[in-house]
Amino acid sequence: MICTNICTHNNITLLVWISSVERLVNPHLPVAKTDSHGTVCMRDPIEAKWNLSLNAVFPNEIDREDAVSPDLGLGQETLNQLIQHDYKEWNTSTIDKQSDAIPEKGVKSLTLILCTVHDILGIEYCPPLPDVATILLTHMPESYVFATIREMINDTSNFLPVCQKDYYSWCKTYAVIVKRMFPAHYKAMEECGALDPSKGLDPIFKRFFVTILKREDVLHFMDIFLIEGCKAIFRLALSLLQLISKKELKVRIKSSSIYQPFYENTNITFTTVFGSDRFKLLVE
């Protein structure tokens, strides 16, 4: 469910997610200090900073109703697709069960967060951020999502690409690793454009696997990502390639969809991906 309920502060997922980010970006701090961000004592400071930032962007509350989300490099068409269709499996609301779209309250929360990140944190380009924010909103209120993203942005080396140079560096690095580890896959992917940063790698580096994995697997991956940072994205992408047989690779190439939804294959689960030897070997 996307933001149809406000999270309680004893939510274990909220605690783990924000504490994981704090630990990674502040390795010099005691664990007790970083873990405190998920406790009740930090609720008021987190909400106060969020309200201060929100009021700076929208001094008049009425303006929040007409706010338009910046796409942050994702593209307005893709952002609309995200809102209207891509999270239909995530919608557990009885009222909106017949709708593919994120509930209206969730869309408003996402819009306010993206606008505030853009205006207050100065982020103009970060394609995976809309999906990351949407997933965080499934277990956090707006104030905690903003606090978590703020910490992630402050330590860009660990989490997200915040400029085109960073994004294309990620794509190039991935292509180099694929060439070294999966030469047959690399050749085929080069030919069909699956390694093209402008489109071919969108499901991985722009959409955070939302369009190719099941809801529960994306949430499991978020747990890993917030603990380990961006290297987890590369590990998962390479693990998925490992699961594509040579025969299936040929079929996917012909359909020009190397990264077609993996959830269509009922044999691919969280256990087969994250529990594979290949995934474990890619820890470092």
Side-chain angles (χ1 to χ4, degrees), residues 105-178:
K105 185 177 180 181
V107 176
K108 180 180 178 181
S109 294
L110 179 62
T111 299
L112 294 179
I113 288 170
L114 295 182
C115 288
T116 308
V117 167
H118 179 272
D119 290 1
I120 300 298
L121 302 183
I123 301 301
E124 297 184 356
Y125 187 91
C126 187
L129 190 55
D131 277 296
V132 170
T134 302
I135 297 167
L136 291 175
L137 279 167
T138 62
H139 289 80
M140 291 178 165
E142 297 167 8
S143 57
Y144 275 75
V145 173
F146 180 71
T148 302
I149 291 174
R150 185 183 64 239
E151 292 301 314
M152 295 168 72
I153 295 301
N154 286 341
D155 188 6
T156 57
S157 62
N158 275 322
F159 287 105
L160 298 167
V162 294
C163 64
Q164 286 185 311
K165 179 181 177 181
D166 288 348
Y167 177 76
Y168 281 96
S169 294
W170 281 28
C171 294
K172 180 63 176 178
T173 300
Y174 179 69
V176 170
I177 297 173
V178 171

